[in-house]
Amino acid sequence: MSSTKTTIGNYEFENCLMNAAGVYCYDRNELEQIINSDAGTFVTKSATLNPREGNPLPRYYDTKLGCINSMGLPNLGIDYYLDYLLELQKTHPDRTFFLSLTGLSSEEIHTLLNKVYESDFNGLTELNLSCPNVPGKPQMAYDLEATEKLLNKVFEYFKKPLGVKLPPYFDIVHFDEAAKVFNKFPLTFVNCINSIGNGLVINDEHVVIKPKQGFGGIGGEYIKPTALANVHAFYQRLNPSIQIIGTGGILTGRDVFEHILCGAGIVQIGTTLQKEGPEVFSRITRELEEIMDEKGYKTLDDFKGKLKYL
Ligand code: RRO
């Protein structure tokens, strides 16, 4: 029988699938549904210091090949997610969860990370450097100089396991430059990729979401090749101590298999979870196990990162 267990940092997970931040993670009710599914863990909605309502509706739209969103960071504020995670440390002491956070300024990010560091939270923290949807705020990780400066300061005080959520990069030189920056820091993981920022979907003659005249982050089937390329590019370039979380374009077990082949240690499902609900984890796990059984692979390490070239 094959096993889909995995590890990130020093933490073990019973399954290598989880939600992607933004989907089924706004409040306890949604997070509980992930806990009770076949997912190995969950990540919370990226939290800011204060609760935010986000952008005007409609701000999410499903298409045949994926979705577009411009949610604008709606969340219940860091205290809500931290309180819940601390509660889970008591009720589920054998499980580890991810806390996602982001700020609209470096100051806010430092305040948030200080809060997490000072708290009893003992899980993994994901710093989102790639929100594409706050009007007037560019995606931080496209400014590598600012990113390096931020991480320099963060690692002066933040000594808990930390990873970053990255936007897709599209040029080999940018993979090189980004990896050079991330290799300077004791990151536990990088998560590739956030949605492809600022796409446009049109229905008849209209945009389909209200914020930003219809521009929004693209997810789903559209983005798998970009996600795989980013996972593999960072797998090739980062210190082996920095693990890769693969996110983008997971519809089936085959897609998970490809992410792991590219080097992902855990795989996140966004659009397909939104469309199908938490039952999706059972289906996709089963499909992944079938592929592993067919190929005679017993563990993820049997094929992780072992993409073959021509
Ligand atoms: O809330 C959002 O609009 C959002 C965020 Br923070 C993100 O990181 N990625 C995305 O597609 N939407």
Side-chain angles (χ1 to χ4, degrees):
M1 222 1 229
S2 55
S3 159
T4 59
K5 276 188 188 177
T6 192
T7 59
I8 296 288
N10 297 323
Y11 301 99
E12 286 191 4
F13 301 94
E14 280 303 310
N15 192 9
C16 63
L17 301 181
M18 63 186 290
N19 68 307
V23 183
Y24 273 87
C25 60
Y26 176 73
D27 60 14
R28 307 171 169 240
N29 169 45
E30 292 187 351
L31 289 163
E32 243 154 57
Q33 294 182 59
I34 305 299
I35 296 180
N36 294 327
S37 76
D38 274 340
T41 178
F42 69 63
V43 58
T44 59
K45 172 67 186 172
S46 296
T48 48
L49 199 51
N50 298 120
R52 286 172 55 90
E53 284 196 0
N55 292 338
L57 304 176
R59 56 193 186 184
Y60 176 93
Y61 186 88
D62 281 324
T63 69
K64 191 161 157 272
L65 296 177
C67 72
I68 184 168
N69 89 83
S70 183
M71 304 300 287
L73 213 40
N75 77 93
L76 294 165
I78 184 75
D79 289 341
Y80 179 91
Y81 301 103
L82 255 186
D83 287 350
Y84 181 49
L85 286 162
L86 293 177
E87 211 177 290
L88 289 176
Q89 284 177 196
K90 297 203 181 96
T91 54
H92 298 71
D94 50 340
R95 296 192 67 176
T96 302
F97 301 103
F98 289 70
L99 168 66
S100 172
L101 52 84
T102 192
L104 303 188
S105 66
S106 304
E107 293 69 37
E108 185 177 358
I109 289 172
H110 292 307
T111 307
L112 288 162
L113 285 172
N114 261 307
K115 217 172 172 43
V116 175
Y117 187 57
E118 295 297 326
S119 77
D120 290 329
F121 176 60
N122 64 13
L124 289 145
T125 304
E126 176 171 289
L127 172 59
N128 184 356
L129 296 178
S130 47
C131 175
N133 298 330
V134 180
K137 298 278 172 192
Q139 292 164 80
M140 174 77 144
Y142 283 145
D143 182 344
L144 287 171
E145 223 174 279
T147 297
E148 182 170 352
K149 198 170 150 206
L150 177 79
L151 292 178
N152 257 320
K153 194 158 171 210
V154 164
F155 282 106
E156 280 176 14
Y157 61 87
F158 196 83
K159 308 292 178 193
K160 289 181 175 179
L162 181 71
V164 286
K165 178 81 172 269
L166 300 179
Y169 297 96
F170 300 97
D171 194 288
I172 300 296
V173 170
H174 294 164
F175 291 139
D176 292 341
E177 289 172 354
K180 207 170 142 196
V181 169
F182 298 126
N183 273 333
K184 293 182 183 176
F185 300 101
L187 287 162
T188 302
F189 64 88
V190 302
N191 185 343
C192 306
I193 57 173
N194 208 318
S195 53
I196 296 184
N198 296 298
L200 196 50
V201 171
I202 297 170
N203 189 0
D204 188 18
E205 297 184 14
H206 281 96
V207 300
V208 295
I209 54 173
K210 185 173 174 71
K212 293 172 64 181
Q213 298 186 314
F215 287 73
I218 304 296
E221 198 170 344
Y222 301 109
I223 75 168
K224 187 177 76 166
T226 301
L228 292 175
N230 276 261
V231 168
H232 197 55
F234 283 105
Y235 185 76
Q236 290 171 313
R237 287 165 177 78
L238 292 181
N239 304 328
S241 59
I242 306 179
Q243 277 170 283
I244 321 283
I245 297 182
T247 308
I250 309 291
L251 281 79
T252 66
R254 171 71 205 182
D255 301 322
V256 178
F257 181 79
E258 290 177 11
H259 266 262
I260 295 169
L261 208 56
C262 285
I266 203 163
V267 174
Q268 297 187 337
I269 305 178
T271 307
T272 305
L273 170 60
Q274 181 64 40
K275 289 181 177 183
E276 282 184 37
E279 271 298 299
V280 76
F281 292 110
S282 316
R283 172 179 68 81
I284 294 184
T285 304
R286 203 168 52 240
E287 291 169 358
L288 175 63
E289 284 168 345
E290 277 167 19
I291 294 169
M292 290 174 66
D293 289 344
E294 258 167 43
K295 290 180 174 280
Y297 294 145
K298 301 272 180 263
T299 69
L300 303 189
D301 278 339
D302 291 346
F303 59 101
K304 183 179 162 188
K306 296 185 178 166
L307 179 64
K308 298 185 172 109
Y309 309 124
L310 300 179

